């Protein structure tokens, strides 16, 4: 789906995160997964098709993105997957009433530095409620000046780098399609600093 609006396009980071999920598909059945900033929801759809109990979310202020999540579910025969409006940095009834989760997914959510702290406050809130959960995220390196290191420290979070070659995502193409343009994509897993993780 090609559209200039962020959440209406399958960005390369989504393909890389979907590859990671596929590489770990045997661990997904029964896992409770939340995708934030889901847009067209490729990672969440892959997780659901691999047997995870998935909830998709995007900003409540972006109804087109929420509809895109629903459309992706219908096209992939996943009509039971719930879609929630969750806005980063906002504590809402939907956020407060979320069922326990094991894995949070986010592909290319670290797109605009003005959103970084809102994303991490939301992740911190979710990890505090689910101390053994992890945030699996892929991001495109857009500027050497952008960093979340200080915010991770502020919110008592830690990150571990996941090398792309460790799950076969260090290629020019994935899933038989070329990734457009030249991209530097990275993956990390974020968890509570004091937690051992899952």
């Amino acid at each position: 789906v090609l559209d200039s609006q962020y959440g209406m396009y399958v960005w390369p980071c989504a393909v890389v995160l979907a590859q990671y999920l596929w590489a770990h598909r045997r661990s997904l059945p029964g896992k409770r997964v939340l995708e934030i900033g889901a847009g067209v929801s490729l990672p969440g759809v892959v997780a659901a098709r691999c047997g995870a109990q998935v909830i998709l979310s995007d900003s409540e202020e972006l109804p087109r993105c929420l509809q895109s999540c629903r459309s992706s579910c219908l096209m992939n025969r996943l009509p039971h997957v719930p879609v929630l409006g969750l806005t980063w940095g906002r504590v809402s009834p939907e956020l407060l009433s979320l069922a326990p989760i094991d894995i949070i997914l986010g592909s290319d959510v670290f797109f605009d530095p003005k959103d970084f702290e809102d994303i991490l406050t939301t992740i911190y809130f979710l990890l505090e409620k689910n101390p053994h959960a992890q945030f699996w995220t892929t991001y495109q390196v857009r500027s050497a000046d952008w960093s979340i290191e200080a915010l991770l420290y502020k919110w008592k979070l830690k990150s571990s780098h996941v090398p792309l070659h460790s799950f076969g995502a260090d290629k020019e193409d994935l899933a038989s399609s070329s990734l457009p343009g030249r991209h530097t994509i990275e993956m990390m897993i974020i968890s509570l600093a004091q937690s051992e993780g899952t």
Side-chain angles (χ1 to χ4, degrees):
V1 178
L2 281 166
D3 191 301
S4 59
Q5 188 176 344
Y6 297 164
M8 306 299 288
Y9 178 75
V10 179
W11 296 93
C13 286
V15 179
V16 172
L17 187 54
Q19 174 79 8
Y20 186 79
L21 289 156
W22 182 249
H24 292 84
R25 62 191 174 276
R26 288 177 187 81
S27 69
L28 292 174
K31 289 279 197 249
R32 299 159 304 186
V33 174
L34 169 69
E35 184 176 3
I36 65 166
V40 294
S41 317
L42 177 62
V45 164
V46 169
R49 298 291 294 182
C50 290
Q53 300 168 28
V54 174
I55 298 171
L56 300 174
S57 73
D58 212 312
S59 173
E60 59 198 317
E61 298 163 4
L62 297 173
R64 285 182 64 203
C65 289
L66 293 171
Q67 186 52 48
S68 179
C69 291
R70 291 182 191 98
S71 297
S72 291
C73 290
L74 292 175
M75 285 187 275
N76 287 282
R77 297 183 298 284
L78 298 166
H80 61 282
V81 173
V83 176
L84 296 178
L86 296 177
T87 301
W88 303 327
R90 183 180 302 163
V91 177
S92 63
E94 291 79 12
L95 185 65
L96 290 170
S97 63
L98 271 177
I101 52 176
D102 301 304
I103 300 166
I104 306 158
L105 301 175
S107 67
D108 216 3
V109 294
F110 294 107
F111 181 85
D112 189 337
K114 74 174 175 49
D115 295 327
F116 289 2
E117 187 152 26
D118 285 343
I119 294 163
L120 289 175
T121 57
T122 300
I123 295 303
Y124 176 78
F125 177 84
L126 292 166
L127 293 177
E128 274 286 297
K129 281 182 65 174
N130 304 275
H132 296 291
Q134 296 179 330
F135 177 37
W136 298 358
T137 184
T138 50
Y139 61 96
Q140 185 172 333
V141 178
R142 292 186 170 88
S143 170
D145 298 332
W146 295 359
S147 174
I148 61 168
E149 189 173 346
L151 291 171
L152 289 172
Y153 181 79
K154 176 181 177 178
W155 288 101
K156 301 180 182 77
L157 299 169
K158 65 180 178 184
S159 70
S160 57
H161 180 258
V162 179
L164 299 192
H165 68 83
S166 70
F167 58 99
D170 57 339
K171 303 176 178 76
E172 290 285 322
D173 64 298
L174 285 176
S176 300
S177 68
S178 295
L179 298 177
R182 299 200 46 81
H183 307 283
T184 302
I185 296 171
E186 300 287 344
M187 178 167 178
M188 65 181 156
I189 294 176
I190 294 175
S191 56
L192 290 176
Q194 70 273 20
S195 169
E196 293 303 310
T198 53

